[in-house]
Coordinates of all heavy atoms in Angstrom, one line a residue:
H42 N -31.8 -28.5 19.9 CA -31.0 -27.8 20.8 C -30.0 -27.0 20.0 O -29.6 -27.4 18.9 CB -30.4 -28.7 21.9 CG -31.4 -29.1 22.9 ND1 -31.1 -29.8 24.1 CD2 -32.8 -28.8 23.0 CE1 -32.2 -29.9 24.8 NE2 -33.2 -29.4 24.2
Y43 N -29.5 -25.9 20.6 CA -28.5 -25.1 19.9 C -27.3 -25.0 20.8 O -27.3 -24.7 22.0 CB -29.1 -23.7 19.7 CG -30.3 -23.8 18.7 CD1 -31.6 -24.1 19.1 CD2 -30.0 -23.7 17.3 CE1 -32.6 -24.2 18.2 CE2 -31.1 -23.8 16.4 CZ -32.4 -24.1 16.9 OH -33.4 -24.2 16.0
Q44 N -26.1 -25.2 20.1 CA -24.8 -25.0 20.8 C -24.1 -23.8 20.2 O -23.9 -23.7 19.0 CB -24.0 -26.2 20.7 CG -22.7 -26.1 21.5 CD -21.8 -27.3 21.5 OE1 -21.6 -28.0 20.5 NE2 -21.2 -27.6 22.7
P45 N -23.7 -22.9 21.1 CA -23.1 -21.6 20.6 C -21.8 -21.9 19.9 O -21.0 -22.8 20.3 CB -22.8 -20.8 21.9 CG -23.5 -21.5 23.0 CD -23.9 -22.9 22.6
K46 N -21.5 -21.1 18.9 CA -20.2 -21.0 18.2 C -19.7 -19.7 18.6 O -20.3 -18.7 18.5 CB -20.5 -21.1 16.7 CG -19.3 -21.4 15.9 CD -19.7 -22.0 14.5 CE -20.1 -20.9 13.6 NZ -20.6 -21.4 12.3
V47 N -18.4 -19.7 19.1 CA -17.9 -18.5 19.7 C -16.6 -18.0 19.0 O -15.8 -18.8 18.6 CB -17.5 -18.8 21.2 CG1 -16.8 -17.7 21.9 CG2 -18.8 -19.2 22.0
E48 N -16.5 -16.7 18.9 CA -15.3 -16.1 18.3 C -14.3 -16.0 19.4 O -14.5 -15.4 20.5 CB -15.6 -14.7 17.8 CG -14.5 -14.0 17.1 CD -14.9 -12.7 16.5 OE1 -15.4 -11.9 17.3 OE2 -14.8 -12.5 15.3
L49 N -13.1 -16.7 19.2 CA -12.2 -16.8 20.3 C -11.6 -15.5 20.8 O -11.3 -15.3 21.9 CB -11.0 -17.8 19.9 CG -11.5 -19.3 19.6 CD1 -10.4 -20.1 19.1 CD2 -12.1 -19.9 20.9
K50 N -11.3 -14.6 19.8 CA -10.7 -13.3 20.2 C -11.6 -12.5 21.1 O -11.1 -11.9 22.1 CB -10.5 -12.5 18.9 CG -9.0 -12.2 18.6 CD -8.9 -11.1 17.5 CE -9.7 -11.4 16.3 NZ -9.4 -10.7 15.1
T51 N -12.9 -12.5 20.9 CA -13.8 -11.6 21.7 C -14.7 -12.3 22.7 O -15.2 -11.7 23.6 CB -14.7 -10.9 20.7 OG1 -15.4 -11.9 20.0 CG2 -13.9 -10.0 19.7
G52 N -14.8 -13.6 22.5 CA -15.8 -14.4 23.3 C -17.2 -14.2 22.9 O -18.1 -14.7 23.5
N53 N -17.4 -13.5 21.8 CA -18.8 -13.3 21.3 C -19.4 -14.5 20.7 O -18.7 -15.2 20.0 CB -18.8 -12.1 20.3 CG -18.6 -10.8 20.9 OD1 -18.8 -10.6 22.1 ND2 -18.2 -9.8 20.1
I54 N -20.7 -14.7 20.9 CA -21.4 -15.8 20.2 C -21.7 -15.3 18.8 O -22.3 -14.3 18.6 CB -22.6 -16.2 20.9 CG1 -22.3 -16.8 22.3 CG2 -23.4 -17.2 20.1 CD1 -23.4 -17.1 23.2
V55 N -21.3 -16.1 17.8 CA -21.5 -15.7 16.4 C -22.5 -16.6 15.7 O -22.9 -16.3 14.6 CB -20.2 -15.7 15.6 CG1 -19.3 -14.6 16.1 CG2 -19.5 -17.0 15.7
G56 N -23.0 -17.6 16.4 CA -23.9 -18.5 15.7 C -24.2 -19.7 16.6 O -23.7 -19.8 17.8
A57 N -24.9 -20.7 16.1 CA -25.2 -21.9 16.8 C -25.3 -23.1 15.9 O -25.7 -22.9 14.7 CB -26.5 -21.8 17.6
E58 N -25.0 -24.3 16.4 CA -25.2 -25.5 15.6 C -26.5 -26.1 16.2 O -26.7 -26.2 17.4 CB -24.1 -26.5 15.8 CG -24.4 -27.8 15.1 CD -23.2 -28.8 15.1 OE1 -22.2 -28.5 15.7 OE2 -23.4 -29.9 14.5
A59 N -27.4 -26.4 15.2 CA -28.7 -27.1 15.6 C -28.5 -28.6 15.7 O -27.9 -29.2 14.8 CB -29.8 -26.8 14.6
L60 N -28.8 -29.1 16.9 CA -28.7 -30.6 17.1 C -30.0 -31.2 17.5 O -30.6 -30.7 18.4 CB -27.6 -30.8 18.1 CG -26.2 -30.4 17.7 CD1 -25.3 -30.0 18.9 CD2 -25.5 -31.5 16.9
V61 N -30.4 -32.2 16.8 CA -31.7 -32.8 17.0 C -31.8 -33.6 18.3 O -30.8 -34.3 18.6 CB -32.2 -33.5 15.8 CG1 -31.4 -34.8 15.5 CG2 -33.7 -33.8 15.8
R62 N -32.9 -33.5 19.0 CA -33.1 -34.3 20.2 C -34.5 -35.0 20.1 O -35.4 -34.5 19.6 CB -33.2 -33.3 21.4 CG -31.9 -32.5 21.6 CD -30.8 -33.5 22.2 NE -29.5 -32.9 22.4 CZ -28.5 -33.0 21.6 NH1 -28.6 -33.6 20.4 NH2 -27.3 -32.4 21.9
W63 N -34.5 -36.2 20.6 CA -35.7 -37.0 20.6 C -36.1 -37.4 22.0 O -35.3 -38.2 22.7 CB -35.6 -38.3 19.7 CG -36.7 -39.2 19.7 CD1 -38.0 -38.9 20.0 CD2 -36.7 -40.5 19.2 NE1 -38.8 -40.0 19.8 CE2 -38.1 -41.0 19.3 CE3 -35.8 -41.4 18.6 CZ2 -38.5 -42.3 18.9 CZ3 -36.1 -42.6 18.2 CH2 -37.5 -43.1 18.3
Q64 N -37.3 -37.0 22.5 CA -37.8 -37.5 23.7 C -38.8 -38.6 23.5 O -39.9 -38.3 23.1 CB -38.4 -36.4 24.6 CG -38.9 -36.9 25.9 CD -38.8 -35.9 27.0 OE1 -39.2 -34.7 26.8 NE2 -38.4 -36.3 28.2
H65 N -38.3 -39.8 23.7 CA -39.2 -41.0 23.5 C -40.2 -41.1 24.7 O -39.7 -41.0 25.8 CB -38.3 -42.2 23.4 CG -39.0 -43.5 22.9 ND1 -39.8 -44.2 23.8 CD2 -39.0 -44.1 21.8 CE1 -40.2 -45.3 23.2 NE2 -39.8 -45.2 21.9
P66 N -41.5 -41.4 24.4 CA -42.4 -41.4 25.5 C -42.1 -42.4 26.6 O -42.4 -42.2 27.7 CB -43.8 -41.7 24.8 CG -43.4 -42.1 23.4 CD -42.1 -41.6 23.1
Q67 N -41.5 -43.6 26.2 CA -41.2 -44.6 27.3 C -39.7 -44.5 27.6 O -39.3 -44.6 28.8 CB -41.5 -46.0 26.8 CG -42.9 -46.4 26.9 CD -43.7 -45.9 25.6 OE1 -43.2 -46.0 24.5 NE2 -44.9 -45.4 25.8
R68 N -38.8 -44.3 26.6 CA -37.4 -44.5 26.9 C -36.7 -43.2 27.3 O -35.5 -43.2 27.6 CB -36.7 -45.0 25.6 CG -37.2 -46.3 25.2 CD -36.1 -47.0 24.7 NE -36.2 -48.0 23.7 CZ -35.1 -48.4 23.0 NH1 -33.9 -47.7 23.2 NH2 -35.2 -49.3 22.2
G69 N -37.4 -42.1 27.2 CA -36.7 -40.8 27.6 C -35.9 -40.3 26.4 O -36.1 -40.7 25.3
W70 N -34.8 -39.5 26.7 CA -34.0 -39.0 25.7 C -33.2 -40.0 25.0 O -32.5 -40.8 25.6 CB -33.1 -37.9 26.2 CG -33.9 -36.7 26.8 CD1 -34.1 -36.4 28.1 CD2 -34.5 -35.7 26.0 NE1 -34.9 -35.3 28.2 CE2 -35.1 -34.8 26.9 CE3 -34.5 -35.4 24.6 CZ2 -35.8 -33.6 26.5 CZ3 -35.2 -34.2 24.2 CH2 -35.8 -33.4 25.1
I71 N -33.3 -40.0 23.6 CA -32.4 -40.9 22.9 C -31.4 -40.1 22.1 O -31.8 -39.1 21.5 CB -33.3 -41.8 21.9 CG1 -34.3 -42.6 22.8 CG2 -32.4 -42.7 21.1 CD1 -35.1 -43.5 22.0
S72 N -30.2 -40.5 22.0 CA -29.1 -39.7 21.4 C -29.3 -39.8 19.8 O -29.6 -40.8 19.3 CB -27.8 -40.3 21.8 OG -26.8 -39.8 20.9
P73 N -29.0 -38.7 19.2 CA -29.0 -38.7 17.7 C -27.9 -39.7 17.1 O -28.1 -40.2 16.0 CB -28.6 -37.3 17.3 CG -28.0 -36.6 18.5 CD -28.6 -37.3 19.7
V74 N -26.9 -40.0 17.9 CA -25.9 -41.0 17.5 C -26.6 -42.3 17.3 O -26.3 -43.1 16.4 CB -24.8 -41.1 18.5 CG1 -23.8 -42.2 18.2 CG2 -24.1 -39.8 18.7
E75 N -27.7 -42.6 18.0 CA -28.4 -43.8 17.9 C -29.5 -43.7 16.8 O -29.7 -44.6 16.0 CB -29.1 -44.1 19.3 CG -29.5 -45.6 19.4 CD -30.1 -45.9 20.8 OE1 -29.7 -45.2 21.8 OE2 -30.9 -46.8 20.9
F76 N -30.3 -42.6 16.8 CA -31.4 -42.6 15.9 C -31.2 -42.0 14.5 O -32.0 -42.3 13.6 CB -32.7 -42.0 16.6 CG -32.7 -40.5 16.8 CD1 -33.0 -39.6 15.8 CD2 -32.4 -40.0 18.0 CE1 -33.0 -38.3 16.0 CE2 -32.4 -38.7 18.3 CZ -32.7 -37.8 17.2

Side-chain angles (χ1 to χ4, degrees):
H42 280 187
Y43 293 88
Q44 184 176 40
K46 196 160 79 183
V47 175
E48 186 177 54
L49 295 174
K50 241 191 315 195
T51 58
N53 289 340
I54 296 177
V55 293
E58 177 175 3
L60 293 152
V61 67
R62 298 290 179 258
W63 178 15
Q64 180 147 45
H65 188 285
Q67 282 85 39
R68 297 217 208 165
W70 294 102
I71 300 180
S72 164
V74 176
E75 198 176 338
F76 70 83

